[in-house]
Structures are given as structure tokens and as C-alpha cells.
């Protein structure tokens, strides 16, 4: 059974979604992310993906108080990302109740520091964020493209014991155009031990069921849920 992970993206403490990571495309779906998290829990979801978009843009955590409010109000397993650049940031995320942190930009720009954190906190508490545009890893809220190719990037951290990988195909994010199934299948073929989390493009329950049929371990979705495109009965989350 594929792991179902709804997402809450935060800007100014509100639950929003972007299209292709463009901040100008912001749409607010709920001004109270805590109530949204409670709703997910009541529906039977066990895990939540929280992204601090303000943090990603500012290059330091901004919405840690919202993270704390969510973790105090629910029993959801929360993974948190966006703006984690320093030891203070990662400590702040864990102290605010995150079970795991997603490391994306820092894994590209400061790999030695990222490796230190993997050793300190344990690979099981780290989610490697692989945000991909035209085969290259994007950083800093998707505003910059690095020279890192996806597969060597993954290989470096998998060799260190990382098993949780969140891979977002940026061109599909928020587009409701269907996930990058072939890309995810290619990754799983190379590293079948991964707990790969597919992200970007989910438009319906059928997309999720297709990922499940292909053996993809987990999926993150946001806009499709908020737009009423997810049939919870079809996914049998209870």
C-alpha cells in the first residue's frame, strides 16, 4: 500500500499552493494550517509534509511556530522542510516537533555539513529533497538551478545510508498534469531499497493508484486534494 502524505505549504502562516514553485502564483486554501492538519488527521492520514515557503525564500526557517502548533495539536508524523541552512535551523525544526527534516538546497551547497547532520541525527530522520528541473537539482525555493545531475546526487547520499527521498518534478508541480511516473520508476529500478516519495503533478486518485501499481512507496499531494480531485474512498486510507 502506497504511503499517502498530504502537504501543507506555508506563506505568512497560511496554507497555500504554488504553481511550478512561482510565488506570484500563490493561492490560499486555508488561513489556519492547524485546522487543516487536524482535518487530515481526522480523515485517517498518519503523516504530513510541511514546507516553509517563506523559509525557502529567506534561506532560514520562518514558520517554526506554525510547525509547533501543528505538532502540538495532532499526532501526525510531520516532516518539515524549507530554509534549513544552519545548525540552529535544524535544531529549531526538531524542537518544534518535526519527526523528520527535508534537506534540499543545503545538500547541494554544503554537502559536508549535510553529511554531519546525517551522522548526528541519523539517516532515518533525514529526507533528501531532490527537486528536479530538466534533470538538474534546483535550490533556494526553486529560484536557482544547480549543476548537480539527479542520479549522482542521489547516489552520494544513498551511500551514506539515506533511504527517504522526496523527488519533485518542478515542471509538473501544481499543474495537475500527472506525476513523472517514468522518472520514479527509473529511480526505484536503480535503488529498490529507497523509500521514494513522489511529488508534483498528482491530479487525481487514479494518479496515486498508478504510482502504487508501479511500486512507488509514497506520494505527496496538495493541490489535487484542495481542489477536490482526490477520492478518499478509492484510496481506502482508513
Amino acid at each position: 500500500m502506497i504511503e499517502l502524505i498530504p502537504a501543507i505549504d506555508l506563506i505568512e502562516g497560511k496554507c497555500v499552493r504554488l504553481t511550478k514553485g512561482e510565488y506570484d502564483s500563490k493561492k490560499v486554501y486555508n488561513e489556519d494550517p492547524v485546522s487543516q492538519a487536524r482535518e487530515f488527521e481526522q480523515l485517517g492520514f498518519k503523516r504530513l509534509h510541511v514546507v516553509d515557503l517563506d523559509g525557502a525564500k529567506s534561506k532560514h526557517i520562518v514558520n517554526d511556530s506554525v510547525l509547533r502548533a501543528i505538532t502540538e495539536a495532532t499526532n501526525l508524523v510531520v516532516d518539515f522542510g524549507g530554509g534549513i541552512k544552519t545548525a540552529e535551523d535544524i535544531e529549531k525544526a526538531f524542537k518544534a516537533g518535526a519527526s523528520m527534516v527535508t534537506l534540499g538546497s543545503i545538500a547541494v551547497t554544503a554537502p559536508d555539513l549535510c553529511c554531519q547532520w546525517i551522522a548526528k541525527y541519523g539517516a532515518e530522520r533525514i529526507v533528501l529533497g531532490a527537486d528536479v528541473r530538466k534533470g538538474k537539482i534546483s535550490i533556494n525555493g526553486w529560484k536557482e538551478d544547480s549543476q548537480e545531475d539527479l542520479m549522482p546526487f542521489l547516489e552520494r547520499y544513498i551511500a551514506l545510508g539515506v533511504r527517504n527521498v522526496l523527488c519533485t518534478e518542478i515542471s509538473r508541480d501544481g499543474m495537475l498534469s500527472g506525476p513523472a511516473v517514468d522518472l520514479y520508476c527509473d529511480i526505484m529500478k536503480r535503488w529498490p531499497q529507497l523509500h521514494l516519495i513522489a511529488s508534483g503533478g498528482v491530479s487525481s486518485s487514479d494518479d496515486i493508484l498508478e504510482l502504487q501499481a508501479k511500486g512507488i512507496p509514497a506520494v505527496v499531494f496538495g493541490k489535487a486534494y484542495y481542489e477536490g480531485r482526490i477520492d478518499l474512498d478509492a484510496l481506502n486510507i482508513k
Side-chain angles (χ1 to χ4, degrees):
M1 184 73 180
I2 193 168
E3 184 178 21
L4 305 169
I5 310 172
I8 289 179
D9 291 358
L10 298 169
I11 290 181
E12 297 176 349
K14 299 175 182 178
C15 179
V16 308
R17 295 301 291 175
L18 307 181
T19 299
K20 293 185 180 179
E22 294 295 334
Y23 283 71
D24 290 343
S25 70
K26 177 185 72 176
K27 181 175 181 180
V28 177
Y29 284 98
N30 194 326
E31 295 198 357
D32 183 357
V34 176
S35 70
Q36 184 63 66
R38 285 199 189 102
E39 176 182 311
F40 285 137
E41 185 174 42
Q42 289 166 2
L43 288 169
F45 294 104
K46 305 299 183 186
R47 182 166 164 183
L48 179 65
H49 177 59
V50 177
V51 182
D52 184 352
L53 291 174
D54 292 315
K57 192 173 185 179
S58 303
K59 301 184 182 181
H60 61 85
I61 288 181
V62 174
N63 285 291
D64 53 300
S65 61
V66 180
L67 169 62
R68 184 182 300 278
I70 289 172
T71 60
E72 289 180 349
T74 72
N75 291 312
L76 292 165
V77 174
V78 178
D79 69 84
F80 178 84
I84 298 175
K85 307 290 188 184
T86 66
E88 181 182 4
D89 287 323
I90 194 169
E91 279 293 319
K92 190 178 289 186
F94 283 134
K95 286 180 179 177
S99 297
M100 292 172 278
V101 295
T102 301
L103 304 180
S105 300
I106 196 72
V108 174
T109 60
D112 289 345
L113 179 59
C114 193
C115 291
Q116 289 174 25
W117 290 347
I118 292 169
K120 180 177 180 178
Y121 298 104
E124 70 279 359
R125 300 196 74 188
I126 303 298
V127 179
L128 181 65
D131 301 327
V132 186
R133 181 161 41 213
K134 297 181 180 178
K136 301 288 187 180
I137 301 296
S138 290
I139 59 175
N140 297 330
W142 301 351
K143 297 303 179 186
E144 304 171 42
D145 290 332
S146 74
Q147 295 305 306
E148 288 269 5
D149 290 315
L150 172 62
M151 296 304 182
F153 173 76
L154 294 180
E155 187 170 20
R156 181 193 312 156
Y157 288 102
I158 290 169
L160 295 174
V162 170
R163 293 294 177 268
N164 300 300
V165 173
L166 173 70
C167 186
T168 302
E169 171 50 72
I170 295 170
S171 67
R172 297 173 185 254
D173 190 70
M175 297 298 291
L176 300 173
S177 57
V181 178
D182 290 343
L183 172 63
Y184 303 132
C185 287
D186 189 17
I187 293 172
M188 290 303 299
K189 184 177 179 180
R190 295 185 188 214
W191 299 289
Q193 75 273 27
L194 284 186
H195 188 72
L196 177 65
I197 306 164
S199 172
V202 171
S203 66
S204 67
S205 307
D206 287 342
D207 286 337
I208 294 173
L209 293 172
E210 180 184 6
L211 289 167
Q212 178 173 276
K214 295 289 187 180
I216 308 305
V219 60
V220 162
F221 52 89
K223 191 172 186 177
Y225 173 83
Y226 297 119
E227 298 281 346
R229 291 168 169 259
I230 301 293
D231 180 352
L232 298 179
D233 291 334
L235 297 178
N236 190 29
I237 65 169
K238 297 284 187 186

